[in-house]
Amino acid sequence: MSQSPLSLEPKFVPLTSYRELPLETMQERARDFRESLQRRRTVRDFSDRPVPLAVVEDCLLAAGTAPNGANMQPWHFVVVGNPEVKSEIRRAAEAEERDFYQNKAPQEWLDALAPLGTDEHKPFLERAPYLIAIFVQRYGLLPDGRKVKHYYPIESVGIATGMLITALHEAGLATLTHTPSPMGFLNEILGRPKNERPFLLLVVGYPEPDAQVPDITKKPLSDIMTLV
Ligand code: IYR
């Protein structure tokens, strides 16, 4: 019988970190936070201004607090600041994107992307100070090579990624969720093991002072919420 890598006995400690807020403060903070997130825009015109690595590290620790399946924390974040590695990623991503835009994408998809003005040119992959390649660990690997099952890994990494984008925004940085498809080249370039699958490439930095964004809007509450 193989031994479980995890302790099976539950252990509980008092919840000391929770802070209840007075109702007024709660309402004010919810509104302020909403207003802040309503200022978040996905950016494609990145400046090459450097960003402190410590800020990115804090945001990754924030992302790492995400709720996730059986607390397996099935994520890995590769922070790429090295210009040569960024160039390699740009070259590989643009090759996939060229194939996507010129051959693979059905007309319906191209029509859906038209308002965003995207194409196969991805200069931001070299210009932005950091790329964060986010990997889903489909299963865990123990040092002796045994596999550990992961639960809801995609949902878990999706939640962590949302928290990362939010943390970076709150720190005053801009992001772009970039999904070159397929992204297998990221495993090769970044030397990640085969239990990890690229989830997305997050571009991080300051926007150019003259950055432009698509003129698009978000759905109103009446479209996204039903109260029963
Ligand atoms: N991966 C391509 C295409 C693309 C797809 C979606 I869905 C977008 O919201 C935006 C772009 C690209 O990055 O250009």
Side-chain angles (χ1 to χ4, degrees), residues 44 97 100-101 109 113 116 118-119 122 178-181:
R44 290 184 175 77
E97 293 291 273
F100 172 81
Y101 282 97
W109 196 342
L113 293 179
L116 306 181
T118 56
D119 60 26
K122 308 296 180 190
H178 180 43
T179 50
S181 165

Side-chain angles (χ1 to χ4, degrees), residues 60-177:
L60 287 174
L61 284 171
T65 67
N68 66 93
N71 199 33
M72 295 295 174
Q73 307 168 62
W75 41 66
H76 192 81
F77 303 93
V78 181
V79 179
V80 184
N82 180 308
E84 275 112 66
V85 182
K86 285 195 284 178
S87 298
E88 232 184 304
I89 290 174
R90 177 182 179 182
R91 224 174 303 125
E94 286 187 333
E96 298 293 6
E97 293 291 273
R98 216 171 298 120
D99 194 32
F100 172 81
Y101 282 97
Q102 291 174 9
N103 308 313
K104 286 203 193 127
Q107 193 55 44
E108 190 181 10
W109 196 342
L110 292 175
D111 291 347
L113 293 179
L116 306 181
T118 56
D119 60 26
E120 65 264 45
H121 303 291
K122 308 296 180 190
F124 48 76
L125 292 176
E126 279 181 299
R127 192 163 165 76
Y130 288 117
L131 310 177
I132 305 178
I134 304 174
F135 290 85
V136 182
Q137 295 176 336
R138 288 174 302 143
Y139 51 88
L141 276 180
L142 295 174
D144 65 6
R146 275 182 302 159
K147 292 181 183 181
V148 180
K149 189 156 170 48
H150 281 172
Y151 305 92
Y152 302 102
I154 295 170
E155 291 84 346
S156 301
V157 178
I159 296 168
T161 299
M163 291 172 67
L164 176 60
I165 292 167
T166 306
L168 288 163
H169 170 72
E170 288 297 307
L173 293 170
T175 57
L176 164 63
T177 39

Side-chain angles (χ1 to χ4, degrees), residues 191-208:
R192 298 310 303 169
K194 66 177 187 334
N195 63 316
E196 293 185 2
R197 182 170 286 172
F199 183 69
L200 62 79
L201 194 53
L202 197 66
V203 185
V204 180
Y206 290 98
E208 286 284 28

